[in-house]
Amino acid sequence: QVQLVESGGGLVQAGDSLRLSCAASGRTFSRYHMGWFRQAPGKEREFVARISWSGGRTGYADSVKGRFTISRDSGKNTVYLQMNSLKPDDTAVYYCAAAQEYSSTYSNWKINYWGQGTQVTVSS
């Protein structure tokens, strides 16, 4: 079992930065690939970024590429999402995710555990 707790969300203005954190419980954190998803009001949950268990592979949605950076600290059982140049369209609840497999595409990536989410609101 892996429990995920997100933090770091808040209300910011367009162009600002935020760093989300996801603290994972359990000694097997280092075996999981980790990711971030988001869900805006009235929209489906969408993939944002992911990182392999080793940290050697990362992937991003086109909408955040060049602005967001995912990283992990296995010593602290934590994964981060650094978000720069935020836009109002980035407003959403952001969810941390843990997966045992790193699928070839984001659309069929099977998630084993989800966090409860943290709200990010970007004002114009």
Side-chain angles (χ1 to χ4, degrees), residues 29-36 47-60 69-73 78-80 97-99 101-102 106 109:
F29 170 76
S30 61
R31 300 179 187 175
Y32 284 85
H33 309 294
M34 301 297 295
W36 289 93
F47 167 80
V48 175
R50 65 177 177 174
I51 186 167
S52 62
W53 69 268
S54 67
R57 286 185 292 175
T58 58
Y60 298 90
T69 303
I70 189 170
S71 61
R72 66 188 297 161
D73 185 337
T78 301
V79 63
Y80 304 98
E101 298 180 2
Y102 199 86
Y106 311 140
W109 193 28

Side-chain angles (χ1 to χ4, degrees), residues 46-104:
E46 65 175 4
F47 167 80
V48 175
R50 65 177 177 174
I51 186 167
S52 62
W53 69 268
S54 67
R57 286 185 292 175
T58 58
Y60 298 90
D62 288 343
S63 59
V64 306
K65 205 170 291 183
R67 300 188 298 123
F68 291 10
T69 303
I70 189 170
S71 61
R72 66 188 297 161
D73 185 337
S74 293
K76 295 182 178 180
N77 278 14
T78 301
V79 63
Y80 304 98
L81 185 67
Q82 178 67 42
M83 306 185 295
N84 298 329
S85 302
L86 283 162
K87 305 174 182 179
D89 284 349
D90 295 318
T91 295
V93 177
Y94 283 71
Y95 297 91
C96 181
Q100 293 179 323
E101 298 180 2
Y102 199 86
S103 63
S104 58

